[in-house]
Amino acid sequence: MRELLEGRRLGFAPRALLASVAIGLGIGATLLDLMSWFAWGSRDTNGFVIGAYWLAIATAVGALLGLIAGVAELIDVAEEDRTLARLDLAGAGVAALLYAASAVLRAGDLGAAGASPAALLLAVGGLLLLLADSGVASVLYAAREWEEIEEVVRERHRRRHIASR
């Protein structure tokens, strides 16, 4: 499981990809909130509220998956990059908490015309944090994925060399 979360089986570190998926879900939730607040395209905004609620839950789950992948990556991060890796973990963890809190607040307002201001602000704060954290994760793990691929290629060549003897 650790090899999957580190990206050895995939050929790339999934941490940055998970951050991008969470960003997409967060943008969707924010757009649905804005559509319900300003009644864009519909008189009955209840569907927007319910959709934003489920997207907030999905974003929290996506951020948690990114946090788990970040923990797996932290074990093998170079010493000079540990501070960035911890910052990445903190960003993913806080974003997951913000979206979870937003989902909890939304759960009581599913019949309302729009999300409560607190739920909307938590979601926007979580989205901004996810955007910043995605940049950190991309910079931190982009160089690492090539190291993993080279390591796997070297191991395969070594095995072939030994087998050919």
Side-chain angles (χ1 to χ4, degrees), residues 36-81:
S36 66
W37 269 61
F38 297 113
W40 292 336
S42 177
R43 288 179 183 221
D44 185 21
T45 58
N46 193 328
F48 296 144
V49 173
I50 294 170
Y53 167 69
W54 285 107
L55 282 177
I57 291 172
T59 306
V61 170
L64 280 174
L65 289 174
L67 178 67
I68 292 168
V71 169
E73 289 283 351
L74 181 66
I75 296 168
D76 291 332
V77 169
E79 195 61 41
E80 63 268 6
D81 291 334

Side-chain angles (χ1 to χ4, degrees), residues 30 34 37-38 50 62 87 115 123 127 132 135 138-139 142 147 150 153:
T30 303
L34 293 176
W37 269 61
F38 297 113
I50 294 170
L87 180 66
L127 179 60
S138 295
V139 168
E147 292 171 6
E150 289 173 7
V153 168

